[in-house]
Amino acid sequence: MQLVVATHNAHKVEELNAILGGMVDGLELLGYDGPEPVEDGSSFLENALIKARAAFGHTGLPSMADDSGIAVEILGGAPGIFSARWAGGRDNVENRRLLLAQLADVPARNRAASFVCTIALVTADAEISFTGIWPGSVAFAEHGEHGFGYDPVFIPEGFAVTAAELEPEVKNSMSHRSLALEQLASYLNAN
Ligand code: ITT
């Protein structure tokens, strides 16, 4: 089966390939360079559907999209769906800096956060979604070189290091994205 991966984020594509590869027999992942739709939904699900529907409409092929972000408890779930542009632009360094500044006076016990990933799949027959949540907390400073986005400031539950200090294989075995993709793989294998 051919599946279009409707994202313009190269880091996501890398993780999607690494995680999904081998999970579904005969799956061929195709890149997507069509027009980027306006992500004006009010939830991860709505935005994932907007992106997957746009790719399906453009290619006519089964399409999947990932909408994801970090939800910080004491910020009422923000940045959430605004994670990619939290500091105004699409600059990960600025986004992380702003988040750390917002939490500067917040003690460790109140820094709970989760990475959330919703994957939407749009085919000629169905629209379906899968969500993965990776609990943890926000660090006091950046650490690590792996991963992307908020990985250097996210400490996964059960760890004393950030997601950016984990080897990619370790992150990909437990992340929000891998939890959502495992559900997608089960669905594809059963349908
Ligand atoms: P597409 O819409 O083209 O897929 P995007 O980067 O705009 O790419 P989102 O709107 O879903 O994607 O924004 C997700 C942001 O959340 C992303 O830019 C990161 O800052 C953050 N994020 C998501 N998953 C992450 C992960 O695994 N590690 C670190 N940060 C992550």
Side-chain angles (χ1 to χ4, degrees):
M1 167 189 198
Q2 290 188 311
L3 183 58
V4 174
V5 179
T7 173
H8 291 80
N9 182 325
H11 299 285
K12 282 189 188 175
V13 174
E14 202 178 310
E15 289 193 2
L16 290 165
N17 278 319
I19 298 166
L20 257 190
M23 272 191 183
V24 183
D25 267 354
L27 184 67
E28 186 189 349
L29 296 175
L30 305 176
Y32 176 66
D33 55 8
E36 209 169 344
V38 180
E39 285 179 51
D40 56 1
S42 55
S43 64
F44 290 113
L45 172 59
E46 284 179 17
N47 283 336
L49 273 173
I50 287 170
K51 292 186 271 192
R53 282 176 185 149
F56 178 71
H58 190 73
T59 63
L61 293 169
S63 300
M64 60 165 280
D66 162 319
D67 202 64
S68 45
I70 188 168
V72 180
E73 246 174 54
I74 201 161
L75 299 180
I81 60 168
F82 305 109
S83 294
R85 297 171 181 275
W86 190 231
R90 294 186 79 86
D91 186 329
N92 284 321
V93 176
E94 290 300 324
N95 288 340
R96 292 194 295 266
R97 194 171 290 160
L98 175 59
L99 184 61
L100 289 179
Q102 288 173 313
L103 299 189
D105 298 327
V106 176
R109 65 178 179 282
N110 290 335
R111 298 175 76 92
S114 298
F115 270 136
V116 182
C117 172
T118 295
I119 302 273
L121 172 70
V122 174
T123 71
D125 310 315
E127 287 192 346
I128 185 159
S129 71
F130 311 93
T131 293
I133 295 175
W134 195 18
S137 62
V138 178
F140 284 92
E142 297 200 10
H143 298 283
E145 304 293 332
H146 296 301
F148 68 101
Y150 294 87
D151 281 337
V153 298
F154 179 73
I155 302 174
E157 202 172 272
F159 287 82
V161 296
T162 69
E165 293 177 281
L166 300 177
E167 291 300 323
E169 305 78 52
V170 177
K171 176 186 175 189
N172 289 344
S173 70
M174 65 181 69
S175 73
H176 51 317
R177 187 158 293 105
S178 72
L179 293 169
L181 288 173
E182 276 166 19
Q183 298 170 61
L184 171 69
S186 300
Y187 175 84
L188 293 175
N189 280 324
N191 286 275

